[in-house]
Amino acid sequence: MQYQLEVNSMNKTESSIEGGCQCRAIRYRLSAMPFNAGHCHCRMCQKSTGSVVGSWMHFLVEQITWLAGKPTEYASTETRKRGFCSTCGSSISFHDTGDPKYYTLSIASLDDPNLVPAQYHIHTASQLEWLKIKDDTPRYSASRG
């Protein structure tokens, strides 16, 4: 599925979209908008982000340029690694080592997270009962595919 986004009225170009961690030890620049973005309600995302939902955007590896530092990675499963800043602890990334051409970044790590709205919710079977998100995006009790 191709991801089409309008960049907001600040007239940012795709090549000027940047993000990083809270302390700025990790910085990145994107050469394209994500091909996919969504909210994940699984327990691993909840635990690794310290939040009730993880919001992620997906890229080809070559669309990400690391400007300063890189995430320290934790192997949360045999094939999945989650990246964070070893200085401030910000959750930055996620990737599946079985599919090395793709890389996932936290939407919240963008300098302007409003640029990337989520397209779906996954693992809603783990969504916290008291969390009520009223949007029109599709919901999946497990993964999408």
Side-chain angles (χ1 to χ4, degrees):
M1 174 186 315
Q2 202 56 12
Y3 195 55
Q4 301 293 326
L5 285 178
E6 280 186 38
V7 178
N8 71 15
S9 61
M10 294 167 57
N11 290 324
K12 289 189 177 195
T13 63
E14 289 180 352
S15 63
S16 69
I17 298 170
E18 294 185 3
C21 67
Q22 185 176 7
C23 73
R24 299 185 66 83
I26 297 173
R27 296 290 302 157
Y28 62 81
R29 177 176 296 132
L30 305 172
S31 65
M33 295 303 285
F35 64 83
N36 211 334
H39 299 301
C40 182
H41 298 269
C42 80
R43 288 297 292 147
M44 275 201 202
C45 282
Q46 291 169 354
K47 293 263 188 188
S48 72
T49 64
S51 183
V52 296
V53 63
S55 299
W56 304 102
M57 53 187 177
H58 311 285
F59 299 90
L60 295 172
V61 170
E62 62 265 17
Q63 295 172 322
I64 303 166
T65 300
W66 297 102
L67 303 173
K70 282 191 173 182
T72 298
E73 293 188 327
Y74 164 73
S76 57
T77 70
E78 249 182 62
T79 60
R80 293 201 168 84
K81 293 188 177 183
R82 295 176 182 274
F84 61 94
C85 174
S86 61
T87 303
C88 68
S90 295
S91 180
I92 299 289
S93 63
F94 169 93
H95 72 100
D96 187 332
T97 58
D99 207 348
K101 65 183 175 184
Y102 299 108
Y103 202 82
T104 300
L105 293 168
S106 164
I107 293 173
S109 71
L110 284 169
D111 292 344
D112 184 358
N114 285 306
L115 292 173
V116 181
Q119 297 173 296
Y120 56 85
H121 293 263
I122 58 173
H123 297 286
T124 58
S126 302
Q127 182 173 329
L128 299 179
E129 293 173 4
W130 52 261
L131 179 64
K132 307 294 182 211
I133 299 175
K134 297 178 181 179
D135 62 19
D136 295 329
T137 59
R139 285 165 166 68
Y140 304 89
S141 63
S143 66
R144 292 188 315 146

